[in-house]
């Protein structure tokens, strides 16, 4: 679709940047904080890149004022951060740690003092270890109860200061990596347990949203979803159908619950046929239906491409062109828990897209596709809560970082956001991932995303100096011009 002229970004557009507690704070056991499942997981040998942990991270807990001063210098309008649950409740529930609450209130005050809108994420993957030990984490409704209670404490303490709240960050990612691929805590590979845990997270999310509207009637709340639009490899209707299948199970499975308050029938039926349907109590459907998010948070990095599945098209298995399929699609048919995807589609490479050094497809137009699809299906204002480029950056001898590749990436993506706005999508803000460099969950400190370079690496904390990169000054100009200088 061609527009002769692009609409401007809205006047009050939230130009932002994002982070998450475990990836920046450090101070992992200071001032009464309890351990989270990431504190435990990262210390198991071989689990993270070069054994990196968030023990010190970028020391934001102690240097947050310096970080906010840099945000101010950049002219940032909004800053997305997450609260570490086990800083507030070291045991996940029970006794409150006041020092934890004080820290987040001080951060919020500092942001407000500097005219930066705080965007608070309630759960960015760092479940208190005590809840994992006591209840099996998200596999128990007790954890959902503890989550809602933790949310209540934050709503009551910060509800008059923070307008925008995000419930779950990328439920699709932490559930799949934690319970299917065993790549994240709690290191489980079991589809049945995955779908059960996922349902309980949905209940926790819905209850938190409903409670929020009672306690903070003027605030706004929504989940952040890691959305990747699915493309069909060809116009063969069987491939198109496969793409529909993938869109349903990869995206609508979560988004329908958030935005329509119910599961998509197609996916439920497939799970039921395979004995994977979660236990859904009668009252659960009411809980899901009653939660009304005010906006939808979208994290966008890339989408995916599929073709018809390998079982239906045996001949394709010999076809070298399509050989790069996800390994799980090759799972044995005798498997007592066959994955539903196996019968639905096969993932393939997209021949049109280039990739980052970490093999993530670079697809700015896919961003516009994503925003358009989500708007068309759910009709909620969209807050872009993450988008960015992970790369190896080099600090020059004169302490500069010339990250032109990052500027190019962000510029192309932001132009697609502007195209989507011109198409008619209601987008209230954009948070680049990330403000400073930080710990990448499984890729250590080597994979950098920030506008601000942090002088540390995987082996040495060095002096943790904050050094604005070229992209910092570029984004500053973009914000100042309200995006008018992107073209
Ligand atoms: C998202 C997470 C972020 C962040 C980002 C980049 O899925 O919400 O916390 O880490 O991805 O991912 P990575 O660090 O794996 O490159």
């Amino acid at each position: 679709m061609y527009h002769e002229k692009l609409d401007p970004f809205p006047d009050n557009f939230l130009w932002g940047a994002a982070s998450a507690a475990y990836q920046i704070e450090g101070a992992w056991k200071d001032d009464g904080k309890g351990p989270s499942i990431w504190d435990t997981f990262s210390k198991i040998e071989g689990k993270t890149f070069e054994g990196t942990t968030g023990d010190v991270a970028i020391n934001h807990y102690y240097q947050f004022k310096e970080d906010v001063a840099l945000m101010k210098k950049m002219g940032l309008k909004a800053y997305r951060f997450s609260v570490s649950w086990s800083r507030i409740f070291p045991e996940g529930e029970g006794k409150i740690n006041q020092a934890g609450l004080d820290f987040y209130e001080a951060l919020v005050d500092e942001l407000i003092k500097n005219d930066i809108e705080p965007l608070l994420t309630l759960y960015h993957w760092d479940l208190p270890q005590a809840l994992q030990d006591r209840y099996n984490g998200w596999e128990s409704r007790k954890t959902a109860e503890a989550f809602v209670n933790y949310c209540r404490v934050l709503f009551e303490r910060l509800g008059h200061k923070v307008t925008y709240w995000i419930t779950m960050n990328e439920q699709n990612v932490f559930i799949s990596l934690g319970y299917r691929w065993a790549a994240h805590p709690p290191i489980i590979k079991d589809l049945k347990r995955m779908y059960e845990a996922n349902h309980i997270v949905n209940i926790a999310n819905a209850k938190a949203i409903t409670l929020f509207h009672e306690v903070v009637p003027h605030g706004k709340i929504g989940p952040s979803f890691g959305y990747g639009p699915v493309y069909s490899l060809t116009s063969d209707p069987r491939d198109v159908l496969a793409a529909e299948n993938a869109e349903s199970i990869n995206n609508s499975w979560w988004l329908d619950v958030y935005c329509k308050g119910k599961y998509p029938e197609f996916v439920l039926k497939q799970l039921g046929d395979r004995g994977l349907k979660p236990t859904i109590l009668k009252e659960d459907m009411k809980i899901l239906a009653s939660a009304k998010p005010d906006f939808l948070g979208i994290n966008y990095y890339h989408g995916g491409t599929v073709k018809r599945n390998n079982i239906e098209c045996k001949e394709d298995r010999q076809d070298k062109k399509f050989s790069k399929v996800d390994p799980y699609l090759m799972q044995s048919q005798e498997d007592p828990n066959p994955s539903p995807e196996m019968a639905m589609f096969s993932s393939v490479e997209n021949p049109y897209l280039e990739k980052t050094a970490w093999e993530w497809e670079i697809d700015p137009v896919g961003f516009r596709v994503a925003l358009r699809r989500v708007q068309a299906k759910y009709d909620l204002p969209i807050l872009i809560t993450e988008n960015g480029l992970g790369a190896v950056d080099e600090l020059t001898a004169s302490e500069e970082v010339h990250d032109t590749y990052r500027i190019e990436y962000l510029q192309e993506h932001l132009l697609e956001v502007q195209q989507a706005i011109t198409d008619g999508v209601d987008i209230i803000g954009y948070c680049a991932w990330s403000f400073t460099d930080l710990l990448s969950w499984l890729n250590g400190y080597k994979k950098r995303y920030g506008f601000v370079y942090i002088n540390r690496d995987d082996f040495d904390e060095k002096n943790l100096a904050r050094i604005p990169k070229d992209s910092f000054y570029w984004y500053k100009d973009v914000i100042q011009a309200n995006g008018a200088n992107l073209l």
Side-chain angles (χ1 to χ4, degrees), residues 20 23 124-125 169-170 173 299 301 360 386 433 440-441 443 447 449:
Q23 297 177 280
H124 203 126
W125 305 356
N169 178 72
E170 292 189 354
V173 174
N299 293 357
Y301 292 92
W360 289 20
E386 280 181 38
W433 183 265
S440 168
W441 302 95
N443 307 291
K447 190 177 187 186
Y449 280 92

Side-chain angles (χ1 to χ4, degrees), residues 180 191 194-195 249 267 270-271 274 276 311 328-329 331 337-345:
R180 174 178 211 153
L191 284 177
M194 177 183 85
Y195 284 111
I249 197 158
V267 183
Q270 302 318 305
L271 297 187
R274 291 163 178 79
L276 293 171
I311 307 163
Y328 66 88
L329 296 168
Q331 166 182 9
N337 255 348
S339 83
E341 288 89 344
M342 197 175 149
M344 290 184 185
F345 62 87

